């Protein structure tokens, strides 16, 4: 079965993609009759060297995203994963020559089709008297034994675009740029890893992986890698990649050693989330610095993709100060990141958090027995929420991302860890305040914010008194804060429904002679009834409000969780 793609036609997708980029970038122009994009200010390059690159489409933002002052003069694009036509390459060479450039450097990735077509165009241009040189980039560090075809050209080619572009912008001649670029190309390596394949428009996936497999050392055309490994953590996969890339017995290794200074590129192969990209970048920095390698610059993003392939490649380039100046040189290329011209290694990455304000002694603290009772209550609440994790997640899947149980379990585990540090405060106000901070930091999501608001507001009336009327007032204050900032009201099918029902019963505590357990028992039953009743309500707030009410046949998970918490509190107090 072919994969779905948002294209107008399979045959025209490369043309449409390039036209879209040019249409959005006034600094680019299309060469009429060819799949070629050029700088719109070609005439300003008179007397300088032009840089042309390209290859198959499907690697966006490469190659056209790197056209601009300080990088490429133009690119020639082929069909998806297909080398561009000789005629178009030759047309691009002629166009930059007619603009008055003093020579052209072709930057070509090491693939047979690209070598042949760019090479043939070069020979024809030279026969016309146009000075043209060609560098073939092979930065693949996957192969332990080099084959006749050599190393494949991967994401490191983008760094060559940058170095050559800075040299050309500085007015360096064609022969000197070619010589220096060839030296730089030998000082870098790239290795890719993917969680699954990609698919060319109109075709099936290029290879298949089982759920627990990862492809190591693959190229940028959907071709399989050198071996398959078992799925592992990001740290483990990054370590394996760096071990492979720097292993001196690997014929294609990059000679990075302790004390080396490198530019590191973490490249999204197309389908990886930004979340994963950040995790990989963090793992790579920690692993490299742990090996004594200095990271002079870190580039993280999508530079050379393989359509929608969910994977990454790591590129390491050995650098010195003169080379770093070329990397840091100004460019207007839209796909080049705005990288700070400072070393990553050695930078202070953390700022000391402000100290918590000193808490005033609470006159309502009553000693050890109250603290022990509160610990018992909290422990029962935690065990209850952990036991409900899967049930709450199942309820939540009807209206959202199915994480309500996970969120509440995260809160329970955070509270348990906090209890290990020592007994909780005996003061109810201090206890609720501490829990508020903990849940805001550890629970996450809207639930964490709502519980934090509730507890922060509820703590205020308890600073002066801890009588039953004060507890009722605390419930009122918490409910008011939730409604004010959460914008929910009773009947909106949220956690507020359970808490509101309980709060109405707790009003009885304000009457003289009210019985704590008798009133609390009624409050818990009302909360449970309200939670059950939410399945008949139309959601008026929260994520569920975006879902058709006809699909919501289960009670609201937040309301169920809130009722369960109240039940746990009651059970401990009864015992």
């Amino acid at each position: 079965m072919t994969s779905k793609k948002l294209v107008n036609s399979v045959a025209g997708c490369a043309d449409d993609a390039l036209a879209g980029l040019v249409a959005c970038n006034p600094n680019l122009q299309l060469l009429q009759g060819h799949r070629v994009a050029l700088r719109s200010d070609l005439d300003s390059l008179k007397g300088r060297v032009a840089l042309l690159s390209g290859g198959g489409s499907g690697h966006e933002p490469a190659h056209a995203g790197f056209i601009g002052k300080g990088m490429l003069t133009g690119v020639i694009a082929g069909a998806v994963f297909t080398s561009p036509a000789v005629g178009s390459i030759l047309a691009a060479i002629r166009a930059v020559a007619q603009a008055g450039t003093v020579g052209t450097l072709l930057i070509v990735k090491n693939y047979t089709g690209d070598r042949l077509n760019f090479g043939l165009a070069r020979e024809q241009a030279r026969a016309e008297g146009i000075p043209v040189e060609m560098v073939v980039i092979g930065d693949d560090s996957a192969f332990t034994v080099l084959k006749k075809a050599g190393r494949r050209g991967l994401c490191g080619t983008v760094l060559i675009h940058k170095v050559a572009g800075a040299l050309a912008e500085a007015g360096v001649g064609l022969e000197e740029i070619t010589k220096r670029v060839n030296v730089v190309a030998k000082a870098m390596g790239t290795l890719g890893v993917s969680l699954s394949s990609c698919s060319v428009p109109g075709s099936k996936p290029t290879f298949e992986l089982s759920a627990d497999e990862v492809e190591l050392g693959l190229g940028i055309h959907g071709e399989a890698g050198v071996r398959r490994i078992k799925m592992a953590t990001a740290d483990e996969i990054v370590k394996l990649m760096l071990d492979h890339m720097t292993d001196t017995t690997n014929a294609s290794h990059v000679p990075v050693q302790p004390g080396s200074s490198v530019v590191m590129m973490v490249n999204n192969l197309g389908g990886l989330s930004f979340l994963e990209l950040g995790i990989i970048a963090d793992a790579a920095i920690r692993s490299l610095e742990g090996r004594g390698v200095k990271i002079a610059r870190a580039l993280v993003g999508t530079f050379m993709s393989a359509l929608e392939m969910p994977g990454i490649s790591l590129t390491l380039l050995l650098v010195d100060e003169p080379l770093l100046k070329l990397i840091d040189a100004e460019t207007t290329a839209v796909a080049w990141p705005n990288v700070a011209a400072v070393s990553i290694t050695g930078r202070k990455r953390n700022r000391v958090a402000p100290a918590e304000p000193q808490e005033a002694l609470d006159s309502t603290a009553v000693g050890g027995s109250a603290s022990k009772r509160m610990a018992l209550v909290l422990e029962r609440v935690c065990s209850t929420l952990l036991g409900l994790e899967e049930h709450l997640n199942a309820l939540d899947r009807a209206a959202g991302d199915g994480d309500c149980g996970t969120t509440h379990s995260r809160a329970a585990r955070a509270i348990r860890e906090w209890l290990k540090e020592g007994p909780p405060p005996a003061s109810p106000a201090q206890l609720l305040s501490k829990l508020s901070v903990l849940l805001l930091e550890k629970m996450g999501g809207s639930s964490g914010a709502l519980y934090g608001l509730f507890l922060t507001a509820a703590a205020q009336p308890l600073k002066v008194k801890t009588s039953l009327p004060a507890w009722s007032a605390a419930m009122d204050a918490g409910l008011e804060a939730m409604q004010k900032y959460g914008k929910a009201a009773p009947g909106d099918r949220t956690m507020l429904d359970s808490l509101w029902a309980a709060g109405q019963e707790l009003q009885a505590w304000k009457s003289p002679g009210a019985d704590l357990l008798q009133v609390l028992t009624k409050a818990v039953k009302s909360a449970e009834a309200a939670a059950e009743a939410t399945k008949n309500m139309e959601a008026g707030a929260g994520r569920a409000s975006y879902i058709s009410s006809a699909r919501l046949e289960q009670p609201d998970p937040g309301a169920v969780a809130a009722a369960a918490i109240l039940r746990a509190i009651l059970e401990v107090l009864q015992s």
Side-chain angles (χ1 to χ4, degrees):
M1 180 179 177
T2 58
S3 61
K4 292 186 288 187
K5 293 282 193 294
L6 284 172
V7 299
N8 296 314
S9 69
V10 171
C13 60
D15 295 283
D16 292 347
L18 191 61
L21 180 65
V22 171
C24 295
N25 189 342
N27 296 320
L28 302 184
Q29 290 179 329
L30 289 172
L31 189 60
Q32 191 172 1
H34 298 278
R35 199 181 288 128
V36 173
L38 297 166
R39 285 176 59 173
S40 54
D41 62 345
L42 275 186
D43 293 340
S44 69
L45 299 179
K46 188 174 182 178
R48 295 182 182 175
V49 172
L51 304 175
L52 297 176
S53 187
S57 298
H59 303 303
E60 291 73 22
H63 303 82
F66 299 107
I67 299 174
K69 177 183 177 182
M71 286 193 81
L72 297 176
T73 309
V75 303
I76 309 94
V80 175
F81 293 171
T82 303
S83 180
V86 174
S88 291
I89 301 170
L90 185 58
I93 295 172
R94 289 169 177 161
V96 297
Q98 289 174 7
T101 58
V102 294
T104 299
L105 176 63
L106 304 178
I107 302 173
V108 180
K109 296 186 298 301
N110 187 30
Y111 292 100
T112 302
D114 287 353
R115 289 199 316 271
L116 290 173
N117 290 351
F118 276 90
L120 182 54
R122 177 198 178 213
E123 294 302 321
Q124 291 180 354
R126 286 164 66 94
E128 296 175 9
I130 303 173
V132 183
E133 295 293 341
M134 186 168 95
V135 291
V136 179
I137 308 302
D139 56 315
D140 188 3
S141 291
F143 298 99
T144 55
V145 177
L146 286 185
K147 299 180 180 180
K148 186 175 181 180
R151 301 165 70 184
R152 295 173 295 190
L154 302 177
C155 187
T157 309
V158 174
L159 293 175
I160 299 301
H161 295 161
K162 185 67 182 65
V163 170
L167 291 170
E169 189 65 30
V172 178
L174 179 59
E175 289 186 10
E176 180 65 15
I177 294 176
T178 304
K179 177 183 175 183
R180 291 178 67 173
V181 159
N182 276 320
V183 172
V184 173
K186 294 175 183 176
M188 74 177 171
T190 299
L191 188 67
V193 68
S194 180
L195 307 181
S196 64
S197 177
C198 62
S199 57
V200 174
S203 301
K204 298 178 180 179
T206 52
F207 62 85
E208 296 290 341
L209 279 174
S210 62
D212 65 340
E213 286 184 322
V214 174
E215 194 81 16
L216 179 71
L218 73 172
I220 53 171
H221 300 102
E223 68 269 42
V226 292
R227 65 188 171 106
R228 291 181 178 180
I229 59 176
K230 289 296 181 183
M231 187 66 194
T233 66
D235 281 354
E236 291 167 337
I237 288 176
V238 166
K239 180 181 183 302
L240 181 67
M241 293 175 74
L242 292 175
D243 287 345
H244 188 92
M245 292 175 70
T246 59
D247 185 352
T248 55
T249 66
N250 174 1
S252 63
H253 77 282
V254 56
V256 172
Q257 302 171 348
S260 295
S261 181
V262 301
V263 167
M264 177 191 79
M265 290 184 80
V266 180
N267 172 55
N268 187 351
L269 287 173
L272 209 66
S273 68
F274 283 97
L275 178 84
E276 294 160 286
L277 206 60
I279 293 169
I280 292 292
D282 177 62
I285 289 171
R286 284 187 286 104
S287 185
L288 284 168
E289 290 181 340
R291 299 163 191 244
V293 177
K294 177 184 177 182
I295 304 170
R297 304 288 184 271
L299 287 70
V300 182
T302 305
F303 303 98
M304 186 174 288
S305 64
L307 291 170
E308 81 283 17
M309 184 178 286
I312 56 108
S313 65
L314 293 178
T315 299
L316 299 178
L317 169 65
L318 289 159
V319 291
D320 54 17
E321 284 304 316
L323 184 52
L324 275 179
K325 288 183 179 179
L326 299 176
I327 296 291
D328 293 337
E330 181 185 356
T331 179
T332 59
V334 294
W336 184 260
N338 182 19
V339 180
V342 293
S343 175
I344 299 299
T345 301
R347 184 176 63 87
K348 189 175 181 180
R349 294 173 187 155
N350 293 302
R351 179 184 294 273
V352 176
E356 292 289 335
Q358 291 290 324
E359 290 186 3
L361 291 175
D362 196 321
S363 60
T364 62
V366 293
S369 62
S371 180
K372 290 178 182 179
R373 184 180 301 169
M374 289 177 177
L376 290 173
V377 169
L378 291 175
E379 178 54 41
R380 178 67 65 89
V381 169
C382 291
S383 61
T384 297
L385 292 178
L386 290 169
L388 284 173
E389 180 173 2
E390 288 305 317
H391 177 59
L392 294 176
N393 281 343
L395 294 177
D396 194 30
R397 289 187 193 103
D401 47 11
D403 68 345
C404 182
T406 303
T407 302
H408 281 78
S409 291
R410 189 159 56 238
R413 293 187 181 95
I415 292 172
R416 277 186 168 175
E417 287 300 312
W418 176 59
L419 290 174
K420 290 179 182 178
E421 298 173 6
S427 158
Q430 289 185 3
L431 176 70
L432 297 188
S433 295
K434 290 284 187 181
L435 287 174
S436 170
V437 173
L438 186 68
L439 296 185
L440 286 170
E441 289 182 354
K442 304 293 186 180
M443 187 175 185
S446 57
S447 296
L450 287 169
Y451 278 117
L453 279 167
F454 178 85
L455 293 170
T456 299
Q460 305 314 308
L462 297 172
K463 288 182 176 179
V464 181
K465 297 179 180 179
T466 58
S467 60
L468 290 182
W471 278 102
S472 180
M475 188 71 167
D476 293 342
L479 291 169
E480 182 182 352
M482 289 181 72
Q483 292 181 85
K484 179 179 179 180
Y485 295 103
K487 296 299 182 184
D492 279 344
R493 197 184 189 277
T494 69
M495 61 190 289
L496 180 67
D497 288 299
S498 292
L499 294 173
W500 178 267
Q504 298 313 294
E505 296 293 344
L506 296 184
Q507 296 296 317
W509 277 347
K510 295 177 181 177
S511 301
D515 182 88
L516 185 153
L517 290 178
Q518 187 177 14
V519 173
L520 184 57
T521 300
K522 287 184 179 180
V524 171
K525 290 180 179 179
S526 292
E528 291 171 337
E532 183 65 17
T534 58
K535 68 182 182 181
N536 299 317
M537 297 177 185
E538 182 175 346
R543 186 182 287 114
S545 63
Y546 299 104
I547 308 296
S548 170
S549 60
R551 294 177 55 190
L552 303 176
E553 300 171 352
Q554 309 269 4
D556 178 72
V560 171
I565 291 170
L566 293 173
R567 169 64 66 181
I569 295 170
L570 173 63
E571 288 174 351
V572 174
L573 295 180
Q574 285 176 329
S575 64

